[in-house]
Amino acid sequence: MSSDGNKKQFWKRNAAKVPGSIQHVYGAQHPPFDPLLHANLIKAGNKPPPVTPNKPKKATTFQEFESITSDAWDVGDDDDELLAMAAQNLNIEVVMETANKVIENHSKQQERQRLDDTSELEQREEDTQEEVAEEEEEEVEDDEVEDEDEEEEEDEENRSGEGYVTSPEMSFASQSSPYTDSRLVKSHSEAPIGSPKDAAGEHAALHRQRSLPHRPPVIPLVARMADQNTSGTPAMTEREASRLDKFKQLLAGPNTDLEELRKLSWSGIPRQVRPITWKLLSGYLPANAERRESVLQRKRQEYFGFIQQYYDSRNDEHHQDTYRQIHIDIPRTNPLIPLFQQASVQEIFERILFIWAIRHPASGYVQGINDLVTPFFVVYVFEYIEEEVENFDVSSLQEEALRNIEADSFWCMSKLLDGIQDNYTFAQPGIQRKVKALEELVSRIDETVHRHMQQYEVEYLQFAFRWMNNLLMRELPLRCTIRLWDTYQAEPEGFSHFHLYVCAAFLVRWRKEILEEKDFQGLMILLQNLPTMHWGNEEVSVLLAEAYRLKFAFADAPNHYKR
């Protein structure tokens, strides 16, 4: 009996203190709770329940304790049940007061919004009336000028004795009112019906629409291919024209001097000769001009032979996971550029990546490789078009041209990955080594930045892994990536070795912004969202120059940056 009494005494606890009882947690999803704003609510919620001297409300048995704390283990409770249980402890007066404040604030916001909308509408009507009045004055002046011109023409005709015949097109145009648009109104029932203000507003909008040229869909600045240091497509400068001539002379020879071509390409390659230059520098095409066409035909046929041989196996059991991951990643590739959201382009990327993964089983497909196709694809599309590529519809190209672009992109991407494949094998040892080397290099070239990162426990692997895995493609606009790859193609081991110094220069470039951040979260947000959307050729050239300086100082003396 005494043992039973001890068991009961053991479980005698105040229900407000036992673990598992519902307590307010700041930041919980249902409901969000701020202890600073709801101090009264805390006090009310922490008050012990009213007790009577005869029947104290306490847990006296294990069964009662289990029923009180069952929510701590029962994961099947719905959110509504949790809310109902939590609401039992809420002070009804505080709840009603809070609800009334919310309703009052909401009503005030709606009233302010309504007043703002009304004033904006009135301002628009005034602007529209002013525009209509100005246009009517201009039309009256034009009519007067036309009348004077007609009188002069009649006088000339009378003097010459020749008649004047009005063509049907001109007579139709003269009968059309200034309110008509490009559509023909068959009857009065089809004409727009509305108040004079509506008609005036439509007329003003139509006038503005006619005065503006047709604009394609707006492309975000980060997704534009043109260098933002220039406005539009200006005339080529004398220096650019001279460089283009040097490229053409070098490429026109029977045997291209690849070493000279690399020197010339280091500072950037003109768009007109970039496709052939990339193919030569990547090793896809031979230096001998006579052999190039036959090599192209053979390699393209070989690629489409792989398609026939392997692509149908994408749904097989041992390949379907690879294909599924590729199929998921392709729509995420440069989502801001309409070119890459076209179904035909995504199918091309799927074939390229799947064939590469099948032919390289040591690594297979790894997320991030999908980004490496895009610069090659864009550059080789430029081989067949003159306009900008962001909104270009690839279905307008001939099928042979599309097949050539696909095959060339596959082989050049393969050449690139051959030099950095250890970045994508199991455990990605290449990236691990490069991130460690980046940390050692930064500790030598800017110890202040390095110590600042250490102080707030920022590991280089947390942000630089993506820099190595995607070759900075997620950090730079695509136009900057293409310019960067001009130099990578020209630099010996550009993608595998020189990229390390570019990353170091890129990190130190944001020194001021890094040192201004005083916590881990701020540093990580900055390093994962660096403001490069306005960058163009000038900024990339400065970055490459600094990277070359670092390489010149440290590449041949690795002990300089090893502790």
Side-chain angles (χ1 to χ4, degrees):
M1 187 67 182
S2 61
S3 62
D4 294 339
N6 291 335
K7 289 180 180 178
K8 288 185 178 181
Q9 290 294 330
F10 176 77
W11 292 110
K12 284 184 179 180
R13 296 286 185 272
N14 189 339
K17 297 180 181 180
V18 295
S21 60
I22 295 177
Q23 299 292 335
H24 298 297
V25 180
Y26 176 66
Q29 186 177 2
H30 299 293
F33 187 83
D34 191 343
L36 298 178
L37 299 178
H38 301 79
N40 295 331
L41 187 59
I42 293 176
K43 294 176 182 177
N46 288 338
K47 287 181 180 178
V51 296
T52 60
N54 297 331
K55 295 182 179 180
K57 186 65 175 179
K58 294 182 179 179
T60 57
T61 66
F62 177 77
Q63 287 78 12
E64 292 181 16
F65 171 77
E66 184 182 19
S67 65
I68 292 170
T69 61
S70 61
D71 63 293
W73 294 275
D74 188 0
V75 297
D77 288 340
D78 293 329
D79 293 339
D80 294 338
E81 294 178 3
L82 292 175
L83 282 172
M85 295 167 66
Q88 293 176 0
N89 292 331
L90 298 180
N91 187 325
I92 190 64
E93 295 179 0
V94 177
V95 171
M96 293 302 296
E97 181 182 355
T98 304
N100 289 332
K101 287 183 179 179
V102 171
I103 294 172
E104 183 181 353
N105 292 335
H106 183 66
S107 301
K108 289 180 180 179
Q109 289 179 358
Q110 283 187 327
E111 182 65 21
R112 284 197 298 269
Q113 182 66 29
R114 187 180 63 79
L115 293 174
D116 293 342
D117 293 342
T118 303
S119 61
E120 184 178 355
L121 182 60
E122 292 175 354
Q123 183 64 32
R124 286 182 180 175
E125 290 178 354
E126 293 177 2
D127 295 342
T128 301
Q129 292 175 358
E130 292 177 359
E131 290 179 359
V132 171
E134 292 176 358
E135 290 170 2
E136 290 177 351
E137 292 177 1
E138 292 176 357
E139 289 171 1
V140 171
E141 292 177 358
D142 293 342
D143 291 340
E144 293 176 355
V145 173
E146 289 177 359
D147 293 340
E148 293 176 0
D149 293 341
E150 289 176 357
E151 291 176 359
E152 291 176 2
E153 290 175 359
E154 289 177 358
D155 293 341
E156 291 177 358
E157 290 168 3
N158 291 333
R159 286 195 298 270
S160 62
E162 296 179 356
Y164 181 74
V165 180
T166 306
S167 66
E169 293 80 4
M170 294 182 65
S171 64
F172 178 80
S174 64
Q175 292 171 5
S176 62
S177 75
Y179 293 93
T180 58
D181 58 7
S182 58
R183 297 171 297 160
L184 285 176
V185 179
K186 296 179 182 179
S187 65
H188 291 289
S189 63
E190 292 185 10
I193 299 174
S195 64
K197 287 185 178 180
D198 294 337
E202 291 178 3
H203 175 54
L206 179 61
H207 178 76
R208 286 193 296 270
Q209 183 179 358
R210 284 179 170 179
S211 64
L212 294 173
H214 173 68
R215 294 183 178 179
V218 178
I219 304 297
L221 181 61
V222 70
R224 294 178 192 165
M225 301 296 177
D227 180 16
Q228 296 307 306
N229 294 330
T230 59
S231 58
T233 54
M236 190 179 296
T237 64
E238 184 177 349
R239 180 178 177 275
E240 291 171 344
S242 175
R243 294 192 74 246
L244 179 58
D245 288 340
K246 290 181 180 178
F247 271 96
K248 288 182 176 179
Q249 291 176 7
L250 192 59
L251 295 169
N255 288 287
T256 303
D257 186 346
L258 295 181
E259 191 60 34
E260 190 65 28
L261 185 63
R262 288 191 180 93
K263 291 179 182 178
L264 203 56
S265 301
W266 206 98
S267 301
I269 304 171
R271 168 178 160 172
Q272 297 89 331
V273 295
R274 184 175 277 136
I276 181 66
T277 305
W278 275 28
K279 292 173 187 176
L280 286 166
L281 294 179
S282 65
Y284 175 44
L285 284 184
N288 185 276
E290 294 181 356
R291 296 178 50 223
R292 289 174 192 167
E293 190 61 34
S294 60
V295 169
L296 278 177
Q297 291 181 2
R298 178 172 55 84
K299 299 296 282 186
R300 289 166 179 171
Q301 290 175 2
E302 187 177 353
Y303 168 72
F304 285 101
F306 295 152
I307 295 291
Q308 294 178 355
Q309 183 177 357
Y310 298 118
Y311 195 62
D312 288 339
S313 67
R314 62 188 182 279
N315 293 319
D316 292 353
E317 183 178 355
H318 52 291
H319 290 155
Q320 62 182 1
D321 289 342
T322 297
Y323 178 73
R324 177 180 173 275
Q325 188 61 57
I326 292 172
H327 189 72
I328 292 172
D329 289 346
I330 292 300
R332 303 172 182 169
T333 305
N334 291 295
L336 298 177
I337 302 179
L339 172 72
F340 298 115
Q341 303 310 309
Q342 298 176 34
S344 55
V345 174
Q346 294 184 356
E347 290 171 3
I348 288 173
F349 279 32
E350 285 181 1
R351 289 194 293 268
I352 290 174
L353 294 171
F354 182 77
I355 296 302
W356 188 88
I358 293 298
R359 298 187 72 247
H360 295 81
S363 62
Y365 173 74
V366 178
Q367 284 181 303
I369 296 179
N370 56 304
D371 287 329
L372 306 184
V373 187
T374 55
F376 292 113
F377 184 82
V378 169
V379 168
Y380 297 148
V381 166
F382 278 140
E383 196 170 5
Y384 297 92
I385 67 172
E386 294 294 334
E387 65 267 30
E388 291 302 324
V389 74
E390 296 96 333
N391 283 309
F392 181 72
D393 183 6
V394 296
S395 62
S396 61
L397 287 173
Q398 295 182 358
E399 184 179 357
E400 183 182 0
L402 267 180
R403 288 168 61 89
N404 293 344
I405 292 169
E406 179 177 349
D408 296 346
S409 300
F410 169 81
W411 286 114
C412 289
M413 186 199 74
S414 298
K415 291 285 186 181
L416 185 160
L417 290 171
D418 286 347
I420 57 172
Q421 191 171 356
D422 61 343
N423 284 9
Y424 306 105
T425 54
F426 178 73
Q428 300 182 271
I431 291 179
Q432 303 277 357
R433 288 195 303 270
K434 288 168 187 171
V435 170
K436 184 62 178 175
L438 175 66
E439 181 176 359
E440 294 172 348
L441 181 58
V442 173
S443 69
R444 288 299 184 183
I445 62 178
D446 198 327
E447 189 174 3
T448 304
V449 169
H450 179 68
R451 290 190 178 277
H452 187 76
M453 308 262 269
Q454 285 184 326
Q455 179 182 352
Y456 296 104
E457 299 180 348
V458 175
E459 298 290 338
Y460 282 73
L461 198 63
Q462 292 169 328
F463 65 89
F465 180 90
R466 190 172 73 180
W467 296 9
M468 303 299 177
N469 190 60
N470 301 84
L471 298 178
L472 287 177
M473 287 193 64
R474 299 286 177 90
E475 276 56 51
L476 298 173
L478 185 53
R479 61 180 179 272
C480 296
T481 298
I482 291 174
R483 168 62 190 93
L484 188 69
W485 284 22
D486 286 345
T487 301
Y488 281 5
Q489 301 267 15
E491 185 74 22
E493 298 183 333
F495 293 98
S496 59
H497 186 63
F498 186 64
H499 180 68
L500 167 66
Y501 299 96
V502 172
C503 289
F506 187 65
L507 180 62
V508 177
R509 160 69 176 75
W510 307 103
R511 182 180 197 275
K512 178 176 176 291
E513 291 81 357
I514 290 172
L515 296 179
E516 287 175 352
E517 297 294 340
K518 302 299 183 182
D519 57 50
F520 173 85
Q521 183 178 3
L523 282 167
M524 289 304 301
I525 291 175
L526 170 68
L527 292 170
Q528 292 178 352
N529 301 276
L530 292 167
T532 60
M533 65 176 297
H534 294 280
W535 276 32
N537 286 348
E538 183 178 343
E539 288 80 3
V540 175
S541 297
V542 172
L543 178 69
L544 288 167
E546 177 63 16
Y548 183 79
R549 186 186 70 82
L550 295 176
K551 179 193 172 187
F552 186 80
F554 293 102
D556 295 328
N559 289 331
H560 285 187
Y561 64 82
K562 285 185 178 179
R563 291 188 181 278

